Amino acid sequence: MAEILGPQKLGPLTPLVGEWEGNCGVDFSFHNKDGGTGETGYFEKAWFKPIHTQENGQQTLEGLTYQMTAWRHGEEDMDPFHDEVGYLLWEKKTGIVMRTVVFGRGIAILAGGQAEPRDKKIEFTATPGDANYGILQNEYLSERAELISFNGHFAFNDDGTFSYDQTLVLKLAAMGGKEMNHTDRNTLHLVKRYHPSVEIS
């Protein structure tokens, strides 16, 4: 992918615009059927589309709406095992970057960080109960897999791919209340570039 030149209204989110695929995903989690932890390989598709400028009084946000869907290797023609939708938002004035994400399992996260326009790495963090960047989950999960924290980052690589690595710290009832790191990582390559003036939602 050639370097993106000229004005970049979306700041550090600019390289994400488009459709992406990655086949080297690795999920480390607790497997209820096996009663223990293990790794799962997965194939993933992701879509990032620009949205109109958002204004909260004196705050101006630029951003993307996105979806990321993943299938276990060997199950690409079946239901995905992971699906998330959300927004990535950036405020030029302060450098605040936000990831608003809802998982199909009844989990919602607003994670925040700082990023400059051409940063090669964007980091996000969230903690349950935080007034600004927190985590919510449904009652069933709270009783069995209480979320303690969320940390993640997106990295833009020199070969035009982008990688992410994220960790949810859980307190699992099935492990006697012990904490474990549920991690996901993948590297995706661009399969379609959107033109913002055409694709904006």
Side-chain angles (χ1 to χ4, degrees):
M1 178 177 69
E3 182 182 0
I4 299 172
L5 304 175
Q8 297 188 26
K9 180 181 177 181
L10 294 167
L13 305 177
T14 300
L16 288 169
V17 177
E19 296 181 12
W20 301 77
E21 292 183 358
N23 198 39
C24 57
V26 178
D27 167 273
F28 178 81
S29 60
F30 183 82
H31 295 182
N32 288 289
K33 291 181 180 179
D34 301 326
T37 57
E39 289 189 346
T40 299
Y42 60 90
F43 166 77
E44 186 168 30
K45 293 179 70 70
W47 303 261
F48 298 88
K49 294 185 178 181
I51 61 173
H52 295 287
T53 299
Q54 306 292 305
E55 294 184 351
N56 296 322
Q58 299 301 310
Q59 182 184 52
T60 300
L61 300 172
E62 305 295 346
L64 306 166
T65 181
Y66 82 94
Q67 179 176 0
M68 300 177 79
T69 304
W71 294 260
R72 293 182 181 90
H73 287 153
E75 297 182 1
E76 285 82 358
D77 63 341
M78 301 169 67
D79 289 337
F81 84 103
H82 177 85
D83 190 51
E84 66 180 77
V85 296
Y87 290 92
L88 293 164
L89 304 168
W90 179 67
E91 184 183 19
K92 181 178 181 179
K93 181 179 178 180
T94 63
I96 291 173
V97 64
M98 292 175 276
R99 179 178 175 186
T100 303
V101 56
V102 178
F103 300 99
R105 301 174 185 272
I107 300 170
I109 298 174
L110 175 58
Q114 293 286 137
E116 295 302 317
R118 296 178 185 267
D119 281 357
K120 296 294 186 180
K121 187 175 182 179
I122 309 173
E123 298 192 27
F124 308 91
T125 62
T127 306
D130 189 282
N132 298 304
Y133 303 117
I135 302 171
L136 294 173
Q137 61 187 125
N138 74 65
E139 185 176 0
Y140 177 91
L141 290 177
S142 293
E143 294 173 352
R144 294 163 176 80
E146 181 184 357
L147 288 170
I148 305 301
S149 67
F150 171 83
N151 293 279
H153 72 258
F154 289 170
F156 304 113
N157 307 313
D158 291 340
D159 63 359
T161 62
F162 101 85
S163 302
Y164 71 84
D165 192 309
Q166 61 190 35
T167 299
L168 280 164
V169 180
L170 309 170
K171 185 183 292 184
L172 288 174
M175 295 177 61
K178 292 176 60 178
E179 293 185 7
M180 70 151 289
N181 291 349
H182 178 147
T183 63
D184 294 282
R185 64 182 186 274
N186 202 357
T187 296
L188 298 92
H189 64 274
L190 188 68
V191 295
K192 180 182 178 181
R193 170 69 67 189
Y194 295 144
H195 191 289
S197 67
V198 176
E199 301 288 345
I200 195 166
S201 57

